[in-house]
């Protein structure tokens, strides 16, 4: 499997490690990465030798969210083009969520926006102490629309409300408390903790594990085409607001947006 933004390695046991490989960009999600992750999910789904998939990031970050150049492209894009790109992200997340194999997140560092979405489609996730998380879209005048079905399914609407509306950052312990990650360990214990999460899957029938995963999804609120289209429409609507225009301009110009104020004054 040859990719530019990710790597896939499968060991002799059938453990596939899917690594986001844009170290210099803190593994931010680009349009190409979306396409490559979707393709990798398809290949791993069909590979009968693969028993478990581990999703991680290269370097000290897990995933910093949307790539800056990708964001700039969205500024100049039409409504239809923005919806198409958002749909690409949504379908990438759905492809990973629907993998008929256990998917374990090895959260080696910070995760913001789309990075939180990636953790949310994992069946379990182990994070390092010191990792920081955030649904930071509202700081740009946007909303975490595309990732929201997956994040809400993971942490529930109450936690999502608090985090999405405030864009506050939170630590690994808080991520564990709300169910975003299942365990928090020291950096030097991360690999051992991931291995401990992997081992039980070798005692179960692979197809039964996939069927059990599909059963849980079938018994949960559906993330179907209608829901995905609704989130894409809401995101497109938000992109067209004056707040989004100001928020994104301020971000690119490295200044505070006009609507940000000092709460201590």
């Amino acid at each position: 499997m040859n990719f530019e933004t990710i790597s896939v390695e499968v060991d002799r046991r059938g453990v596939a490690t899917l690594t986001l490989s844009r170290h210099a960009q803190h593994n931010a999600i680009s349009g190409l990465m979306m396409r490559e992750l979707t393709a990798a999910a398809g290949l791993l789904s069909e590979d009968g030798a693969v028993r478990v998939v581990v999703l991680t990031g290269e370097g000290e970050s897990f995933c910093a969210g949307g790539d800056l150049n990708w964001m700039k492209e969205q500024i100049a894009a039409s409504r239809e083009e923005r919806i198409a790109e958002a749909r690409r992200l949504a379908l990438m997340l759905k492809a990973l969520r629907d993998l008929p194999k256990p998917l374990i997140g090895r959260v080696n560092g910070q995760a913001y926006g789309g990075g939180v979405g990636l953790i949310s489609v994992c069946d379990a996730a182990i994070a390092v102490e010191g990792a920081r998380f955030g649904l930071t879209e509202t700081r740009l005048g946007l909303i975490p629309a595309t990732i929201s079905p997956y994040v809400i399914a993971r942490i529930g609407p109450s936690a999502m409300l608090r985090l999405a509306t405030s864009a506050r950052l939170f630590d690994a312990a808080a991520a564990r408390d709300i169910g975003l990650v299942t365990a928090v360990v020291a950096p030097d214990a991360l690999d051992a903790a991931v291995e401990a999460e992997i081992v039980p899957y070798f005692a179960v029938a692979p197809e039964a594990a996939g069927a059990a995963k599909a059963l849980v999804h079938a018994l949960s609120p559906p993330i179907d085409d209608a829901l995905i289209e609704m989130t894409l429409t809401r995101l497109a609507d938000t992109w067209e607001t004056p707040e989004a225009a100001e928020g994104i301009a301020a971000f690119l110009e490295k200044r505070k947006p006009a609507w940000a104020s000092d709460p201590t004054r």
Side-chain angles (χ1 to χ4, degrees):
M1 302 178 188
N2 295 316
F3 299 104
E4 291 183 33
T5 67
I6 64 174
S7 67
V8 181
E9 296 180 355
V10 183
D11 71 15
R12 58 179 178 78
R13 302 175 299 167
V15 176
T17 301
L18 177 54
T19 304
L20 311 181
S21 301
R22 304 186 73 226
H23 183 198
Q25 295 79 28
H26 298 281
N27 303 317
I29 302 171
S30 64
L32 178 58
M33 181 181 280
M34 292 179 206
R35 294 191 293 273
E36 292 191 337
L37 281 171
T38 303
L43 291 170
L44 293 169
S45 294
E46 296 170 2
D47 190 338
V50 172
R51 297 284 297 266
V52 182
V53 180
V54 175
L55 176 64
T56 191
E58 183 181 78
E60 297 180 354
S61 296
F62 178 72
C63 176
D67 176 70
L68 179 59
N69 289 328
W70 182 78
M71 287 286 293
K72 289 178 178 178
E73 290 171 2
Q74 302 317 298
I75 295 171
S78 66
R79 178 184 177 90
E80 291 74 19
E81 289 168 334
R82 288 171 181 161
I83 288 176
E85 280 298 293
R87 182 178 293 109
R88 193 191 307 277
L89 174 60
L91 295 180
M92 176 203 79
L93 292 169
K94 192 171 190 303
L96 290 168
R97 175 183 179 266
D98 292 347
L99 265 174
K101 330 262 182 175
L103 178 62
I104 299 170
R106 179 185 179 275
V107 184
N108 55 304
Q110 64 178 339
Y112 303 118
V116 174
L118 284 172
I119 297 170
S120 297
V121 299
C122 294
D123 304 316
I126 315 297
V128 294
E129 297 169 346
R132 301 281 284 174
F133 306 83
L135 296 167
T136 53
E137 288 84 352
T138 50
R139 294 189 183 189
L140 301 177
L142 297 171
I143 56 175
T146 313
I147 65 173
S148 60
Y150 308 98
V151 181
I152 291 172
R154 186 57 169 262
I155 68 174
S158 178
M160 180 70 171
L161 275 170
R162 179 171 181 264
L163 298 173
T165 56
S166 68
R168 71 183 69 219
L169 303 184
F170 54 102
D171 61 17
R176 180 188 57 209
D177 290 345
I178 62 175
L180 178 64
V181 302
T182 45
V184 178
V185 299
D188 60 3
L190 180 59
D191 289 335
V194 171
E195 179 64 18
E197 189 68 34
I198 290 170
V199 167
Y201 292 111
F202 287 97
V204 303
E207 291 187 12
K213 180 173 177 176
L215 174 64
V216 172
H217 290 167
L219 294 172
S220 304
I223 300 177
D224 55 19
D225 290 344
L227 180 60
I228 289 173
E229 291 303 316
M230 181 272 286
T231 64
L232 303 185
T233 298
R234 294 202 179 203
L235 179 60
D237 290 345
T238 307
W239 264 100
E240 296 168 3
T241 64
E243 281 190 343
E246 167 61 12
I248 294 166
F251 173 72
L252 295 176
E253 296 166 9
K254 302 185 185 312
R255 61 174 175 82
K256 287 187 176 181
W259 33 261
S261 58
D262 184 350
T264 63
R265 299 178 68 179

